[in-house]
Amino acid sequence: MNRLETETSLGKVVFNVTPRSERPVVLFIHGFSRQPKHLAAWRGRLTRADVWFAHLPGHGAPELAVLSLEAWRQAFEEATHQMFAEREVTVVGESLGAMIALSLPASRIVAVEPFLEARWPIQVSLRMMGDRLDPRYRTAFFSQPHHEVVSTIRSPTLVLAGATLMGEPRSMPRPPSVLTE
């Protein structure tokens, strides 16, 4: 895969890309504290599309000028418009990547575990990160609800989550799914 940087009004958005063709594009946007390599297995499974992976700012890519969900959504919208204006694009996002994906113009969107609020499983994960978590990220993404994201959806969207509703906070070896257990 090649690394491609696209300049936006807020800074660079970075992609790991396959060679361009006329095939549809599947763009993956990983979640917080993850990397595109965590989703790389999909590349070999999606043989009828060009599979691209976006880096979240500060996750193997430069920070943007502004640290907020709205700024990241704006930068990704500018970058995807530049890269895919004439192409059929499916955007697949996980967790924080799903929150960005939901607002992008695309042929279709698959949002895996988007969080509208930083409920107890996220808070447990953040505590587990301890001092490794830059406090600016906690403030920008995890200190307030993000219900406004729902009103930004412009494309056919599939949201994926588990089948069991998230229960009350409890001790667990790992936190459950953000939306469900």
Side-chain angles (χ1 to χ4, degrees), residues 70-104:
E70 181 56 39
W72 285 18
R73 288 176 19 216
Q74 179 184 335
F76 272 82
E77 182 167 349
E78 290 177 25
T80 56
H81 178 73
Q82 290 174 38
M83 301 307 303
F84 312 120
E86 303 299 321
R87 308 248 337 246
E88 180 182 332
V89 178
T90 298
V91 180
V92 180
E94 66 162 342
S95 189
L96 183 55
M99 299 295 287
I100 294 166
L102 286 171
S103 64
L104 295 178

Side-chain angles (χ1 to χ4, degrees), residues 129-181:
M129 292 179 79
D131 293 339
R132 293 177 295 145
L133 176 64
D134 183 330
R136 299 174 308 140
Y137 285 94
R138 183 183 306 275
T139 301
F141 301 112
F142 305 114
S143 64
Q144 71 275 342
H146 297 289
H147 298 280
E148 77 284 353
V149 171
V150 174
S151 66
T152 68
I153 298 172
R154 299 177 269 178
S155 303
T157 300
L158 173 65
V159 176
L160 299 177
T164 305
L165 294 176
M166 181 172 50
E168 294 298 316
R170 60 199 168 279
S171 177
M172 301 182 79
R174 329 188 267 170
S177 160
V178 175
L179 298 177
T180 63
E181 294 182 11

